[in-house]
Amino acid sequence: MKIVKPEQTITDLVEDQSVKIEEVESHTHYKKCQITSNFGIKKINEVIFENCTFDRLDFKQMEFLDVTFDNCNLASGDFSESLIYRSEFK
């Protein structure tokens, strides 16, 4: 099996903010953010989450493309029926 690293072009940094997952934007590095959710979204691409906390770990039926989760606690996350491409969990 060949492991392919995410292909990311990051242009923005959001730090120490509370962000709804519905408002997560591509090409953005979220650092030390609180990620909240009302209903979730279907697709996230070219995003870095670093030292972020998630108030809801229901990622069912979502698609992740070129996403990095760096030092985020996703231990009880539910990724059932999700698609994960070129993403990294550090």
Side-chain angles (χ1 to χ4, degrees), residues 57-71:
L57 294 174
D58 183 359
F59 300 111
K60 290 181 199 170
Q61 299 178 342
M62 290 184 63
E63 183 175 322
F64 299 90
L65 173 63
D66 297 319
V67 176
T68 300
F69 293 95
D70 187 356
N71 201 32

Side-chain angles (χ1 to χ4, degrees), residues 16-33:
D16 293 316
Q17 302 282 328
S18 179
V19 179
K20 292 181 182 176
I21 199 162
E22 297 85 6
E23 298 170 353
V24 167
E25 294 186 21
S26 297
H27 311 289
T28 305
H29 182 165
Y30 294 91
K31 188 173 184 178
K32 298 179 184 174
C33 290

Side-chain angles (χ1 to χ4, degrees), residues 19-22 35-41 54-56 58:
V19 179
K20 292 181 182 176
I21 199 162
E22 297 85 6
I35 310 297
T36 63
S37 177
N38 290 333
F39 55 85
I41 58 172
F54 294 81
D55 75 337
R56 182 175 152 222
D58 183 359

